[in-house]
Amino acid sequence: MKVTQKIAQCERENKIWWSFEYFPPRTAQGLQNLLDRIERMRGLGPEFIDITWNAGGRTSELTAEMVKTCQGLVGIETCMHLTCTNMPKEKVDIALREAKVSGCRNVLALRGDPPMGKEEWEAVEGGFVHGIDLVRHIRREYGDYFDIAVAGFPQHQTLPPEERDREMKFLKEKVEAGVNFIFTQMFYDVDVFIDWVNAVRAAGITIPIVPGIAPIQTWNGFQRATSLAQTIIPQTFQDALEPHKANDEKVREIGTNLVADMCRKILNANLGIHGLHFYTMNLEKGTRMLLEELNLVPRVETIKPLPWRQSLTPTRRQETIRPIFWANRTKSYISRTENWDEYPNGRFGDSRSPAYGELDGYGVSIKQSREDALKLWGQPSTFAEIADLFAQFCVGKLSALPWSDQKPSTETSIISEQLARMNTLGFLTINSQPAVNGAKSSDKVFGWGPRNGYVYQKAYLEFFVKPTLLTLLLSHIERDSNITYYVINKRGDLRTNTHSEGPNAVTWGVFPGKEIVQPTIVEAVSFMAWKDEAFELGQQWARVYDPDSPSAKIIAELMDSCYLVNVVHNDFHDAGAIFKPFFQAGEEYATQADIPNGH
C-alpha cells in the first residue's frame, strides 16, 4: 500500500499514526541485529518504515536487501530512500526494479550528500543533477506505481526572504513534477516548523507533510546530530538538558518530555497533520519512551491484520490462508513456497496447488550455532531430560527449541501448564493453540484483523510421541468424536481419522462488512511437506553433539522411532477437552513405563 493511502485511511478513521526510519548498518552481524530489532519494534505499531540510502550510495545493495526483507518477511510497508549520489541512471533503474519486485510502493527521492571524502556534491556521468530530475525519471518510467516523497526543510523558514522564497519555489516544482508527500528534516523548534508548514500551504502545496521527529537518546548524540544537520536548538532545550549531560538516563528522560511536548503541539496546531515519523537511529528505547509518553498505543489491526505475519510482495499480498504447521517457522514457509505462481484462495497444500519446495534447496536449519545450542539445551542423555527441555520452553523458561524460531506466543501462556504436563507425560509438543470462542478482534492476546470483529480458534496440538504411547493415546482419542488427527512417521506413512479431503479451518474471524476469514488450516498434503522439515530439524539437533555422545544417540533415535502427530479438537466451546485424552493416556503409560528414570 502507498504511504498516502495509509495516511488517508488514518484520517478517515480520525487516528493518529506513526512510522520509523532505519539505516543500513555496516556489518553482517549489525544487519541481523537490526532486522531482529525491526521485527521487535513492529510491535510498537508503525504504519510503515523507511530505509535510508547511505551518503555516496555505498550501501545501495544493502538498502535494497533490507527493503526486500521488510516487505517479504517482516511484513511491514516500506519506503526506500534513493539518492543521486554516485548513481548513474542504470543503477537507479536496478534499484527501482528491485523495489517493485519486492512490493515496495514508496520511494524518497533525494539528491543526496557528497560522497565520503568530498566536500562538494557532483553528479556522476550518466546520473542526475538534482532531486527533481530523479522525481521526473521515476514518474516517466513507472507512472503512478510509486508514491514519491521528497525532503522538506522547516529551517528554510529562517533564511533571508529571497533565499527562502527560492527554496519554496524549488519545493513546489518538485511537487508539480509528481511528488506525493514530504518528509521533513529533524527539528526541535516547533514554532519554526509551524510557520514553515503554513508557508508551504500558502504557496499552494497541499500534499501531506510528515514531520521528522528525532528522539533525544544521549547528550553527545544530540549535540552531534544537531551539529551535523545545523539544527536550531531552542534555548529551553539547552537549559533543560545541559546540566545533566553526564547522565544519559536523565538526558533521555528530560529529552523524551521535551520532544513529546513538541509532538503534542504539532498534532494540536490545526495543521492537518495527524502522523509522526521517528528517526530511530536504529535504537529502540528512545522511540518506545516517546510513544509511551504520548500514550500512542499500537492497534491490533495494524500489528496483526491476520493471525500470522503477512508478506507484502506482489505475489503474496492476496495470500489469506496458511497451514498452521509453520506457525513458528515463517521464513522457512515463505522460502519453500516463494516460487509458487499463485495462491489459489490460500488453499496451500491442496492437490491443485503448486508443490512445496524441496528441503535441500532452502537450507532448512536450526537457528542456533553449535556453541549457543549447547548453552541453551545442555547435553540431555535421557528421555526425561529431553522432555524437561520441552516443558521449560512451554512455561517460558527456555527461549527456543529447534522447531521454533521464537519464544512461545502470548496465547501459549493460556495453556502453558497443560503443555508442560503433556511433555512430562511423554508428548513432545512443538506447536499448539488454545480454543477461542468469540474473542474481540481487539483482544490483546487473541485479537487480529479489523476493528469490531470476533475471532475463533479450535484447539490444536502437534507433537512427537513414541509408538507405544501413541497406541494408548489413539485408543482414548477414538472415544471423542470431536477430535481429528493426522499421524506420520519419518518414512511418510500417514494415517488419519478424518473423512474429509478438504482443509480443516482452525482459525477464523467474523468482521463487519466482510465474508468470514479463515486464515489458518490443517490438511494432509501440507502436513506431509512439513514432516520432512520437522524430522530434519530434530536430526540437526542431534548433530550438534559428538556422534558417539549419549545426547546425539538419544535424539537421533527419537527422530527415527517417534511419530509426528497433529490433533484438532473441533468443539471450540470446550477449551480443556483436547487435553483429556493426553492426560489419561499419559498417566496410564506412566504405570507401564518408568518415564522419570528415562527408560
Side-chain angles (χ1 to χ4, degrees), residues 95-112:
L96 290 169
R97 278 199 304 272
E98 290 180 351
K100 186 174 181 180
V101 168
S102 299
C104 174
R105 301 295 304 272
N106 307 283
V107 174
L108 173 56
L110 303 161
R111 189 199 70 171

Side-chain angles (χ1 to χ4, degrees), residues 464-516:
F464 290 105
V465 62
K466 294 179 177 180
T468 48
L469 179 53
L470 173 63
T471 301
L472 271 177
L473 174 67
L474 294 182
S475 70
H476 287 277
I477 280 179
E478 296 293 352
R479 300 170 192 172
D480 188 341
S481 60
N482 283 309
I483 294 181
T484 51
Y485 66 80
Y486 288 96
V487 175
I488 198 165
N489 59 15
K490 189 178 177 182
R491 291 192 306 272
D493 303 318
L494 180 74
R495 52 182 160 141
T496 180
N497 68 340
T498 182
H499 303 294
S500 170
E501 293 184 0
N504 183 359
V506 291
T507 306
W508 65 99
V510 181
F511 307 101
K514 298 187 71 171
E515 293 182 353
I516 292 175

Side-chain angles (χ1 to χ4, degrees), residues 209-223:
I209 294 172
V210 180
I213 308 299
I216 297 174
Q217 316 270 4
T218 66
W219 173 257
N220 288 337
F222 173 64
Q223 290 293 306

Side-chain angles (χ1 to χ4, degrees), residues 129-428:
V129 178
H130 302 290
I132 193 171
D133 300 326
L134 183 54
V135 171
R136 288 169 176 155
H137 177 75
I138 297 170
R139 277 285 168 258
R140 185 167 57 250
E141 296 298 321
Y142 287 89
D144 64 354
Y145 177 83
F146 289 108
D147 252 10
I148 303 176
V150 292
F153 300 90
Q155 285 188 189
H156 284 170
Q157 196 63 13
T158 64
L159 294 172
E162 188 177 332
E163 192 175 349
R164 178 197 63 205
D165 294 346
R166 185 166 63 248
E167 292 294 343
M168 189 65 71
K169 175 176 173 287
F170 292 155
L171 180 61
K172 189 168 184 179
E173 287 174 351
K174 290 177 184 176
V175 173
E176 290 170 349
V179 167
N180 302 100
F181 67 102
I182 299 166
F183 280 121
T184 79
Q185 189 184 44
M186 61 178 277
F187 59 90
Y188 292 106
D189 192 320
V190 69
D191 294 327
V192 168
F193 171 78
I194 292 172
D195 287 347
W196 177 79
V197 172
N198 288 328
V200 169
R201 297 310 185 210
I205 299 171
T206 59
I207 62 174
I209 294 172
V210 180
I213 308 299
I216 297 174
Q217 316 270 4
T218 66
W219 173 257
N220 288 337
F222 173 64
Q223 290 293 306
R224 188 165 55 249
T226 53
S227 173
L228 186 66
Q230 298 181 329
T231 305
I232 296 171
I233 305 173
Q235 193 60 44
T236 52
F237 277 58
Q238 291 281 14
D239 294 344
L241 294 169
E242 191 162 12
H244 306 283
K245 62 183 180 182
N247 184 339
D248 284 348
E249 284 301 314
K250 192 68 176 175
V251 166
R252 188 180 287 117
E253 177 189 333
I254 295 170
T256 297
N257 291 328
L258 291 169
V259 176
D261 284 342
M262 184 180 80
C263 293
R264 292 187 190 100
K265 288 178 183 176
I266 293 168
L267 296 171
N268 295 327
N270 199 29
L271 297 171
I273 292 175
H274 306 286
L276 304 165
H277 184 63
F278 293 99
Y279 295 125
T280 69
M281 300 304 293
N282 290 2
L283 300 172
E284 180 176 354
K285 190 171 184 180
T287 301
R288 180 186 291 274
M289 287 174 65
L290 254 179
L291 289 171
E292 290 172 353
E293 177 63 26
L294 290 165
N295 198 29
L296 295 178
V297 180
R299 294 176 289 273
V300 170
E301 60 194 289
T302 299
I303 303 170
K304 290 179 69 176
L306 289 168
W308 35 263
R309 185 67 54 80
Q310 198 171 16
S311 178
L312 300 181
T313 56
T315 55
R316 303 194 84 117
R317 278 184 181 269
Q318 304 308 313
E319 182 181 9
T320 58
I321 301 178
R322 285 184 187 172
I324 196 171
F325 315 119
W326 283 270
N328 299 318
R329 289 182 58 80
T330 302
K331 293 178 183 177
S332 174
Y333 181 78
I334 290 175
S335 290
R336 293 186 66 183
T337 59
E338 68 180 353
N339 290 325
W340 286 11
D341 55 0
E342 61 179 358
Y343 298 87
N345 199 28
R347 292 199 175 279
F348 304 126
D350 186 279
S351 59
R352 292 161 295 182
S353 296
Y356 285 87
E358 294 298 326
L359 285 183
D360 292 345
Y362 296 96
V364 171
S365 64
I366 59 175
K367 190 175 182 181
Q368 293 72 21
S369 66
R370 185 175 188 275
E371 181 182 0
D372 290 340
L374 291 172
K375 286 180 183 176
L376 192 58
W377 302 316
Q379 302 198 35
S381 58
T382 67
F383 181 84
E385 288 175 348
I386 290 173
D388 185 59
L389 289 174
F390 281 76
Q392 286 184 52
F393 177 75
C394 292
V395 296
K397 294 181 179 178
L398 195 66
S399 62
L401 285 175
W403 295 269
S404 182
D405 288 342
Q406 58 221 356
K407 293 180 180 179
S409 65
T410 307
E411 70 175 20
T412 300
S413 63
I414 306 299
I415 54 173
S416 60
E417 294 301 325
Q418 295 96 316
L419 293 173
R421 184 181 173 193
M422 280 182 61
N423 282 286
T424 59
L425 290 172
F427 304 99
L428 304 180

